[in-house]
Structures are given as structure tokens and as C-alpha cells.
Amino acid sequence: MAQRRSLAVPYGAPVLAISFLACVATGVELSVNDHTAHFTLSAEPGLPISLSCLVQNSSQAEELLWYRGDGQVGLKDGNKVNISNICISPVNESDNGVTFSCRLARDKSVQVSVILDVQFPPQLSGEETVYVEEGKDVTLTCNSKANPQAQSTWFKDNQNLILQQNRHQLYRTSEIFRLSIKKVQKSDNGTYTCVAESRLGNRTRDFHLIVEDKKPVFPTEAVIAAVVVVAITIFFGIVARKDKFCKVW
């Protein structure tokens, strides 16, 4: 007769299974400003924006967490359960591209993220006066921040800069616009203007390039050698006449 085998069921397993199925059935979700999925929020510098996170499909009290990037945002006790609000005031250019995330405390994989799209006109910076010796290379760096990205152009003395293939080189990224000049000449002396244009506005910044006279190059090694020779000659001259010097004294 075949023997019957039974598997022991751990105590409490049915309760855990029921709780798991209930959680799956209810499908706890979060929404931020009525969005249940990640989204991008446009904003303007100087104005505040509010983000409201709400728990959905939950029959129990749920604690919420807010993150700015990877850093957790401090919340007051009355602003953590089932609904939580944060305010960014005022919004500035450094908030552009920053992600704010609302997460479920007991399961951080349940979250909704907001990416701030802060739009602002170009902002330019860089060293205004640059000195360079004639014959050497120089680089003018125009730091440009803008959203949307601006189109940049160089001018010289209020005229379109004529680029020479063997002497001028441009380097451009989303935040840097550089003009490099090889073997600077006296004719390169002048005011260079970085112009950044976007649909939100235009900005300019002047860079004064001052080309100094080429410094004379002294034969350092030859001068040192001559000094050594003179010093040795004087030394041996003194040694050779030391007896005569002693008699005099």
C-alpha cells in the first residue's frame, strides 16, 4: 500500500499569502500633481512651484518620503502620511534638470519622479581681460548657461570674426564656448564679444585681448657659464698672488 506524504505548512504562511494577494489586488500607487508616472514639469526662475504626493488604492496609513536627487528632504510630522506636499520657492537656474521623487516608505520602489525643466535666457561669464605675449597661444573662454541651449557667435571689434583655418579654433559644449588663437600677433589685439542667442533672449560679454611685446630671450646658459668662468679666474688669480697680498698687509 502506498504511503501518503504530507508537507508541513509553516505557521502564519496563509496569513502572509493573503496579505500579499491583498497588496497585489489593491495595487498601491502614488500620484504627484495628478500624475501616476514620471513626468517633466516646466518652471520659471523666481516663481514658486508646489508638488503634492498622494497615496492611492490603500486602506491603511502609508508614510511618504521626498527626495531631491539622492538626498532625502526633511518633512514635518503632519506632512508624511497618505499625502505630502513640498514647495520649491523660489525656483532658480540651479534647479534645472533636478529630479524630485515621492516614494512609499515601506517600499521605495513605489515612486513617482518629477524632473524640473527651468527655462531661462543665456547667462555668460568668463575672464574679461586677457594678457598674452606676442607669438604665444591664447584661449578666450565664454561660459554660457541657458535653457533652451543658446547659439553662440564670436565678434571682434563689433565686426564678424574672420576665422583663419591655421590660427583660429572653436570649441563648443552646452555650457562652454571657446576661441583659441595660435601664435598671437599684434593685429589680434582688440575686443572680442561672445554673443549668445535663444528664444528667451540674447546676451553679450566682452573679452579684452591685450597682446604684449615679445620679451627678449636671454641666453641663460651662456650667462651662467660666463659668470662661472669669471669667478674661477678671479679665484685662481687671488691664490696665485696670495704671498704678495700677505706681504702688503
Side-chain angles (χ1 to χ4, degrees), residues 61-78:
E62 298 284 3
E63 182 181 355
L64 297 173
L65 304 174
W66 274 103
Y67 286 82
R68 184 185 192 275
D70 295 328
Q72 188 171 346
V73 178
L75 300 173
K76 294 183 179 180
D77 291 338

Side-chain angles (χ1 to χ4, degrees), residues 64-119:
L64 297 173
L65 304 174
W66 274 103
Y67 286 82
R68 184 185 192 275
D70 295 328
Q72 188 171 346
V73 178
L75 300 173
K76 294 183 179 180
D77 291 338
N79 189 30
K80 295 181 178 180
V81 180
N82 289 343
I83 185 170
S84 181
N85 300 282
I86 61 172
C87 182
I88 301 96
S89 178
V91 173
N92 56 50
E93 291 80 0
S94 64
D95 294 317
N96 183 51
V98 174
T99 300
F100 286 86
S101 302
C102 179
R103 304 177 186 178
L104 202 64
R106 65 179 176 86
D107 184 0
K108 295 183 178 63
S109 65
V110 180
Q111 64 174 316
V112 176
S113 297
V114 186
I115 300 177
L116 297 188
D117 180 25
V118 184
Q119 300 191 351

Side-chain angles (χ1 to χ4, degrees), residues 123-175:
Q123 297 178 345
L124 305 181
S125 62
E127 187 177 357
E128 293 183 338
T129 303
V130 179
Y131 295 88
V132 62
E133 183 182 334
E134 185 180 7
K136 292 188 175 182
D137 299 343
V138 68
T139 297
L140 304 179
T141 301
C142 180
N143 301 310
S144 175
K145 293 182 62 177
N147 185 30
Q149 185 175 345
Q151 297 295 322
S152 302
T153 310
W154 282 102
F155 288 81
K156 181 180 184 295
D157 297 329
N158 296 322
Q159 302 291 329
N160 288 328
L161 177 62
I162 300 176
L163 299 177
Q164 299 178 21
Q165 185 176 0
N166 296 329
R167 296 187 61 243
H168 297 92
Q169 184 177 3
L170 296 179
Y171 174 79
R172 189 196 314 267
T173 67
S174 60
E175 295 188 357

